[in-house]
Amino acid sequence: MTKRKIKRQIKIDFPEATGNYWRCVWIDQVYYQRKQRKIEVYFYNTESFSDKIFNPQTLYKTKIPISNLSEFGIGSIYNVEERKFEELNYEEIFRITIKENLYLAKAIEFPINGCEDFITNANEVIPIGFKYLKAFGKSNFRNSHILISPYTILQYFLFYNDRLINKVMSGRLVEGFDLKDLKFRKCEETNMVIGMLRYDAEMLTKGEASIIAPYLFLKNNAGIKFLKSLYSHIEKSFLNTLGGNMSSHLSFNWQDFQNYNIDVVGKTYNKDSKTYLLAYRICNFTFNDSQPYIVDKIELFPFNAKDSTEDRKNHEEEDIDKPGDPDIEGVSLNLNADSAKPIPPINTPKDEQLLNPFNIQVDVIKRDKQLGAYRVNYLPNDLKIDDLTRDIENFDNESKDLIENIKIIIAKAGNFEYFKVLIKIMEKEFLSEDSKFKLKLISHYDEGISFYIAEIIYQSKAIYLVEFGSGIIGLFSSIGFNILETEFIYALVKEFIKKEPEVEPGKVLWTYIKNEFEKYYEKKGIILYTGAKHLNKPDKVIARNKTEALEAAARRTAENIYLFRIKRFLI
């Protein structure tokens, strides 16, 4: 198999070592930051490209942008001088027949822990309960156990380039499709059932649309369930950042993909009279079902294309009873069971000639032929089609909600970070010199409700700061400044948060609560104070980095709270 030249350079700052090459042996957790996701990767140093012997002392882990997973995988070798990953020669391909499905397995001890040429402290690196994918199937070697990292699966099916990876990780994978306008038609000449989808050419390239669309038409909604589970995990990971957990292992549900052949390349390990194959790449994936879709072909209709002077909706309506076969452009590969499949699209060139990994034809309809192809008398209601249409519409709504949730979560995570820095500065610079002060920071994350509370006590009096993640810090106390029970504080703040849906767009939760419910809470013995706004522009400070800028801004807010709230009411 010919090697494909890699054009893209990736700079990784490896430590000094005798060898000029570093082999990737494991891809670990995703680290969530405000505007970038990074992946932790483990490498061993080696002196030659073909050398399979590693010095355990050279194990090195680093974090790189997750978008780089389109360039390399487990087993890839990084050339330090040329700053690129070399393409591997695959000497042996293992074919595995999965009658049912890969399943998620948990292990107290990772199966190949302690094996030569793998991470020596694998049990420390791969946590207990980590869900790896494990298959027992027919292959060209016996008594085998196949371990397939979730990243390896995603690299074959979705992680083609940095654009697609970023779409996956931000929940924007199906954002460019007009899912609510899904249609079906039957071609009288061929008797083929055709699924028709419109997509925004400014959001998705032809290749990207051709890659994503087949997931929406798989039987039993297997593709939709897969994407939903991936989205659900990503959203959960973002939510966990509000609770302070800034990393997670990427996961998804794969159980609905059943009865297929999968070809992989990788490295075998022997342990306890068993042979384990750690998959480096998936080379081929073929459903054994001759028709795994509810349609025979997919037609895609781009709109907002740069080469178009008119949008489809500007054309006059017309009815077409029997359209001819439309002219097409950019036909993705029709990968049937007899097709020769190349090595998967790791290191895809920038012209984005992406490959459809599924055995279904996807046609992109030319702009000047779209009206005749799309304005047809499409199929009447059918149970399977109705079910799919309903599920796709629900998925469309869920996807849009996910995007909005991620935006909110990122903003909240930044505001929570601001609040924590503020409290540290408050304690160190304003409260530490007076032993009568006590400060306690409480964080809460449960059932999607997240907030931080700072309890500030002076002698026997207390005032409370609450951060919802909205950029306005709420302040409250009891009428007599009595110290409140923790359970009561939790219940009170959750009651505050439940009012959030009532707040008008552009307004802030705490301001709404104080304006509308001040007298109500006063009758309950609680005094609400004017909130303290996050001050984001450091005054007369030249910040050398983001950390200094954050501390300078938080210091001003802390000073205002101390002078005009704490000192005024507690001392």
Side-chain angles (χ1 to χ4, degrees):
M1 185 169 295
T2 59
K3 294 191 294 183
R4 183 165 48 195
K5 184 179 179 180
I6 305 170
K7 300 178 182 179
R8 182 179 177 186
Q9 285 193 336
I10 299 175
K11 182 180 179 180
I12 303 178
D13 294 322
F14 286 103
E16 291 291 331
T18 57
N20 192 46
Y21 299 95
W22 290 84
R23 184 186 293 271
C24 174
V25 291
W26 190 249
I27 300 174
D28 203 40
Q29 297 188 80
V30 179
Y31 283 78
Y32 292 84
Q33 300 174 350
R34 290 192 65 184
K35 293 186 177 180
Q36 189 178 49
R37 269 74 67 192
K38 291 193 173 183
I39 189 80
E40 190 167 57
V41 187
Y42 287 75
F43 292 92
Y44 273 130
N45 182 253
T46 180
E47 294 189 13
S48 69
F49 179 81
S50 59
D51 194 351
K52 297 182 180 180
I53 300 176
F54 310 115
N55 179 357
Q57 302 301 319
T58 64
L59 183 64
Y60 176 69
K61 65 178 180 179
T62 186
K63 297 184 186 73
I64 61 177
I66 193 170
S67 58
N68 288 336
L69 285 183
S70 63
E71 300 288 334
F72 77 99
I74 298 173
S76 293
I77 295 180
Y78 183 85
N79 186 322
V80 175
E81 288 185 356
E82 298 186 20
R83 293 184 177 179
K84 69 176 185 179
F85 284 97
E86 301 282 0
E87 189 64 38
L88 298 178
N89 286 317
Y90 300 107
E91 299 175 356
E92 185 176 16
I93 295 178
F94 301 93
R95 166 156 290 189
I96 307 150
T97 299
I98 309 297
K99 292 296 184 184
E100 292 184 354
N101 60 282
L102 288 171
Y103 66 91
L104 294 173
K106 294 184 179 181
I108 296 177
E109 180 179 277
F110 193 66
I112 57 176
N113 180 43
C115 289
E116 187 179 2
D117 298 341
F118 194 63
I119 305 172
T120 53
N121 60 335
N123 280 351
E124 298 175 16
V125 172
I126 304 166
I128 295 174
F130 169 61
K131 294 179 179 179
Y132 60 89
L133 294 165
K134 185 176 180 181
F136 300 93
K138 293 182 180 179
S139 65
N140 49 356
F141 64 105
R142 296 180 179 180
N143 300 320
S144 59
H145 305 260
I146 300 90
L147 308 175
I148 307 179
S149 163
Y151 302 109
T152 303
I153 291 176
L154 290 174
Q155 283 174 316
Y156 182 76
F157 289 105
L158 288 175
F159 283 8
Y160 281 47
N161 55 34
D162 54 358
R163 278 173 51 98
L164 269 176
I165 293 174
N166 288 329
K167 288 180 186 295
V168 171
M169 299 306 298
S170 60
R172 296 180 176 273
L173 193 62
V174 297
E175 183 183 25
F177 288 103
D178 188 358
L179 297 181
K180 293 188 182 300
D181 200 20
L182 174 67
K183 291 184 178 181
F184 299 85
R185 70 181 176 90
K186 193 168 186 176
C187 181
E188 293 186 9
E189 288 85 353
T190 63
N191 211 35
M192 294 175 66
V193 176
I194 300 169
M196 300 183 291
L197 261 179
R198 299 175 67 236
Y199 75 91
D200 190 333
E202 290 186 352
M203 289 182 158
L204 294 170
T205 66
K206 296 173 189 175
E208 290 168 349
S210 298
I211 286 299
I212 301 167
Y215 290 99
L216 305 175
F217 294 93
L218 282 167
K219 288 179 180 177
N220 302 318
N221 293 332
I224 294 175
K225 290 176 183 177
F226 163 62
L227 295 179
K228 275 187 176 182
S229 68
L230 182 58
Y231 272 19
S232 176
H233 177 83
I234 289 170
E235 182 175 28
K236 182 179 178 181
S237 298
F238 271 104
L239 284 169
N240 286 340
T241 64
L242 300 182
N245 185 3
M246 302 303 292
S247 65
S248 67
H249 289 93
L250 201 57
S251 186
F252 47 82
N253 186 321
W254 188 255
Q255 279 82 337
D256 292 290
F257 282 70
Q258 299 186 4
N259 193 17
Y260 53 84
N261 290 323
I262 186 171
D263 292 355
V264 301
V265 293
K267 180 176 176 57
T268 57
Y269 297 87
N270 296 312
K271 184 179 178 183
D272 300 330
S273 301
K274 296 179 181 178
T275 301
Y276 294 91
L277 172 66
L278 177 61
Y280 287 170
R281 298 279 198 283
I282 296 174
C283 307
N284 181 23
F285 178 97
T286 307
F287 285 110
N288 291 321
D289 184 349
S290 60
Q291 178 51 286
Y293 300 90
I294 69 164
V295 297
D296 300 296
K297 186 174 76 168
I298 300 170
E299 290 179 349
L300 298 177
F301 299 78
F303 62 92
N304 286 340
K306 292 181 180 179
D307 59 352
S308 173
T309 57
E310 287 187 293
D311 186 76
R312 182 182 61 82
K313 65 180 66 175
N314 294 325
H315 291 287
E316 293 182 1
E317 299 281 346
E318 65 178 271
D319 296 320
I320 298 177
D321 293 323
K322 186 178 178 182
D325 291 334
D327 290 347
I328 58 178
E329 65 176 9
V331 182
S332 67
L333 293 182
N334 183 11
L335 301 181
N336 54 46
D338 298 324
S339 297
K341 315 283 198 308
I343 286 292
I346 297 238
N347 314 311
T348 303
K350 290 184 179 180
D351 59 4
E352 293 191 0
Q353 296 297 316
L354 304 184
L355 307 176
N356 174 8
F358 295 119
N359 53 325
I360 189 170
Q361 184 175 339
V362 183
D363 295 345
V364 180
I365 309 302
K366 286 185 177 181
R367 293 286 304 167
D368 58 349
K369 301 296 181 181
Q370 284 191 24
L371 183 62
Y374 202 78
R375 293 297 183 190
V376 300
N377 292 330
Y378 50 92
L379 283 174
N381 291 342
D382 175 85
L383 182 60
K384 289 183 180 179
I385 289 177
D386 280 349
D387 288 344
L388 178 67
T389 301
R390 183 175 59 254
D391 287 331
I392 284 182
E393 287 181 351
N394 291 337
F395 184 38
D396 184 43
N397 293 331
E398 291 173 11
S399 299
K400 290 175 181 176
D401 289 342
L402 170 67
I403 293 171
E404 292 304 313
N405 287 344
I406 288 178
K407 289 180 182 177
I408 293 170
I409 291 165
I410 290 175
K412 281 189 174 183
N415 287 332
F416 285 161
E417 181 184 5
Y418 184 101
F419 186 73
K420 288 187 288 184
V421 171
L422 181 151
I423 295 303
K424 287 182 180 178
I425 292 172
M426 176 83 70
E427 184 175 27
K428 182 179 179 180
E429 299 184 16
F430 298 96
L431 308 181
S432 61
E433 294 183 2
D434 192 335
S435 61
K436 297 174 184 177
F437 274 112
K438 292 182 181 179
L439 186 149
K440 181 181 179 182
L441 180 64
I442 306 168
S443 62
H444 174 84
Y445 170 72
D446 185 32
E447 299 176 352
I449 298 175
S450 51
F451 54 83
Y452 277 82
I453 299 171
E455 180 183 61
I456 300 175
I457 299 174
Y458 184 78
Q459 293 182 327
S460 60
K461 296 193 294 183
I463 193 169
Y464 297 87
L465 281 60
V466 56
E467 174 63 74
F468 303 107
S470 63
I472 297 289
I473 300 168
L475 294 99
F476 66 89
S477 71
S478 69
I479 289 179
F481 294 99
N482 298 319
I483 299 173
L484 301 174
E485 294 290 335
T486 302
E487 292 77 8
F488 177 82
I489 298 171
Y490 277 143
L492 181 64
V493 175
K494 287 180 181 179
E495 188 176 304
F496 291 157
I497 292 177
K498 287 181 180 179
K499 301 183 188 302
E500 195 163 19
E502 304 172 16
V503 182
E504 294 180 11
K507 303 295 182 180
V508 180
L509 176 59
W510 183 256
T511 304
Y512 170 76
I513 292 170
K514 187 177 187 307
N515 290 343
E516 300 295 329
F517 297 95
E518 185 172 15
K519 292 183 179 179
Y520 168 78
Y521 282 110
E522 188 174 347
K523 291 178 182 179
K524 298 180 70 171
I526 298 297
I527 301 296
L528 307 181
Y529 304 96
T530 302
K533 185 179 180 180
H534 288 198
L535 301 177
N536 296 320
K537 295 181 180 179
D539 187 21
K540 298 180 181 179
V541 173
I542 300 176
R544 291 174 295 181
N545 51 52
K546 290 182 179 180
T547 300
E548 287 190 1
L550 175 63
E551 289 177 351
R555 183 172 289 105
R556 291 180 61 213
T557 307
E559 182 179 18
N560 286 347
I561 292 175
Y562 175 74
L563 293 177
F564 303 112
R565 305 293 192 279
I566 296 172
K567 192 172 181 180
R568 178 180 176 185
F569 295 114
L570 290 188
I571 299 178

